[in-house]
Amino acid sequence: MDLQCEQLERLIERFQQRRPLRTGSLIITLFGDAIVPRGGAVWLGSLIDLLEPMGINQRLVRTSVFRLTREGWLIAEKVGRRSYYGLTAAGRRRFEKAFKRVYSGVRPTWDGAWTLVILNQLDPEARRDVRQELEWMGFGGLTPGMVAHPMVDRAELNATLQEQNALEDTIIFETRAQDSFASRPLRLQVRDAWNLEQLSEGYREFLDQFRPLWQEMSKLETPPPMECFLARTLLIHEYRKLLLRDPLLPEELLPSDWEGRAARQLCRNLYRLTYRGAEAWMSERTETAEGPLPEPGDGFYLRFGGLD
């Protein structure tokens, strides 16, 4: 494949060399980033066509889509001899929880309060599962039976505990704002509860991968639509994986040289640079059971605090 952007070719080669390749995860990224805002369903042949430039063959796409359907992420609709796929209701809920972190604008100001969840009344197996789910939401462990978060959405927390059948057996405390938001003992506790050093290394690697791509594509008068689509898909795929591990702590609790700030700015800038070309490529190459993909809804243009 002959691309204008050498850095994009390198990123695609890097992706192809991974083992296991995890095509299913990339398909979820594609649905969440590009297909859900435009109706949410797509012909299987279009998926195959979109992923072919990344070196993913038809057999691997079909196998991954079948697995995602079996796992409850996707649902199929048969029209004649063609199959069209969209997210299930459960898949859409999981998508919304994961992807709203990716595109959020300015974080709200922290008032110094904390939410504490005590899990001691759960049996050991349930405690492990609930703790894992809360850590995925960004909670950090203070003790084996207690987790904490400084800026959690209480409604989302309650919904998560309800989904885990644990709401009635957990204890939730909300602390008052402290005089000192980020004292030395608190910063040390945060460092222990959340592995910020490992996450910062992940952000550094992200910057090393995508900063050269931004520098190269920003010099092009009109980046080619296909390359915009490939760049945007890989960008969100890699950034999403980092955010799944990021507790999104308030600025007051983060190191002064926190790499996540630069990574978010880079992701926003590259997304804004590529989204128009990527949408044009999607419109040209993708179809639904009703015909062409519908245009993105208004909410799409609010990503990263506004795309225009």
Side-chain angles (χ1 to χ4, degrees):
M1 182 173 53
D2 188 17
L3 301 177
Q4 284 193 33
C5 297
E6 293 182 7
Q7 295 298 329
L8 180 57
E9 278 199 270
R10 291 176 184 172
L11 284 173
I12 292 173
E13 289 173 4
R14 180 188 176 102
F15 174 80
Q16 292 170 345
Q17 291 167 3
R18 289 181 179 169
R19 294 296 180 271
L21 196 54
R22 301 197 185 282
T23 305
S25 177
L26 183 67
I27 290 173
I28 289 298
T29 296
L30 179 56
F31 265 91
D33 180 61
I35 295 172
V36 166
R38 304 190 63 171
V42 69
W43 175 41
L44 177 59
S46 296
L47 277 179
I48 293 169
D49 192 30
L50 289 172
L51 294 174
E52 187 274 334
M54 292 191 185
I56 301 173
N57 62 42
Q58 179 179 150
R59 180 188 59 81
L60 192 52
V61 174
R62 291 181 182 275
T63 301
S64 300
V65 167
F66 175 76
R67 185 178 297 116
L68 290 170
T69 303
R70 188 179 59 199
E71 292 172 353
W73 278 96
L74 300 179
I75 187 169
E77 178 188 3
K78 197 83 169 174
V79 180
R81 299 180 63 183
R82 290 186 168 190
S83 295
Y84 298 83
Y85 287 86
L87 290 175
T88 62
R92 190 175 287 265
R93 285 196 300 272
R94 280 184 278 179
F95 147 74
E96 288 172 351
K97 286 175 66 174
F99 276 79
K100 76 176 185 179
R101 288 173 152 225
V102 175
Y103 309 114
S104 63
V106 179
R107 297 273 293 161
T109 302
W110 183 44
D111 64 1
W114 288 78
T115 298
L116 309 178
V117 183
I118 299 176
L119 308 172
N120 289 334
Q121 300 309 310
L122 297 168
D123 66 65
E125 184 177 354
R127 186 186 312 149
R128 183 196 65 227
D129 293 344
V130 171
R131 183 184 174 108
Q132 185 177 53
E133 191 71 19
L134 294 182
E135 287 176 349
W136 185 84
M137 286 181 64
F139 278 82
L142 300 185
T143 70
M146 183 167 66
V147 294
H149 198 292
M151 294 184 69
V152 73
D153 182 317
R154 181 62 184 270
E156 183 179 347
L157 170 60
N158 287 347
T160 298
L161 292 173
Q162 187 69 58
E163 288 173 5
Q164 296 292 313
N165 296 316
L167 184 59
E168 299 301 321
D169 296 311
T170 53
I171 303 168
I172 302 173
F173 290 114
E174 292 184 344
T175 73
R176 296 179 181 176
Q178 305 298 305
D179 292 335
S180 176
F181 284 6
S183 62
R184 182 176 178 276
L186 183 54
R187 282 183 174 275
L188 292 175
Q189 182 66 54
V190 166
R191 187 189 65 185
D192 292 341
W194 291 274
N195 193 344
L196 296 184
E197 291 181 8
Q198 184 180 25
L199 183 58
S200 186
E201 179 59 35
Y203 279 127
R204 279 192 289 272
E205 185 176 343
F206 175 85
L207 290 166
D208 289 342
Q209 288 183 59
F210 286 95
R211 190 174 275 148
L213 178 62
W214 155 254
Q215 292 168 345
E216 185 177 23
M217 295 192 78
S218 62
K219 294 175 183 176
L220 298 176
E221 184 175 344
T222 305
M226 184 183 75
E227 296 184 34
C228 286
F229 169 77
L230 296 174
R232 179 178 127 181
T233 301
L234 286 173
L235 173 77
I236 293 301
H237 186 58
E238 297 302 324
Y239 191 60
R240 176 175 76 93
K241 290 192 296 183
L242 285 169
L243 283 189
L244 287 175
R245 296 159 41 204
D246 192 335
L248 300 180
L249 297 174
E251 286 289 325
E252 294 88 344
L253 299 175
L254 293 171
S256 58
D257 59 349
W258 178 239
E259 301 285 5
R261 299 185 188 96
R264 180 156 195 82
Q265 184 176 14
L266 175 63
C267 185
R268 181 195 64 195
N269 291 344
L270 188 51
Y271 198 92
R272 287 174 173 173
L273 177 68
T274 57
Y275 86 89
R276 288 188 181 88
E279 291 303 307
W281 184 253
M282 289 278 296
S283 295
E284 179 184 334
R285 312 291 291 193
T286 312
E287 61 182 276
T288 71
E290 289 75 33
L293 276 182
E295 291 301 309
D298 292 342
F300 171 79
Y301 297 98
L302 299 177
R303 290 178 171 183
F304 295 105
L307 294 179
D308 294 320

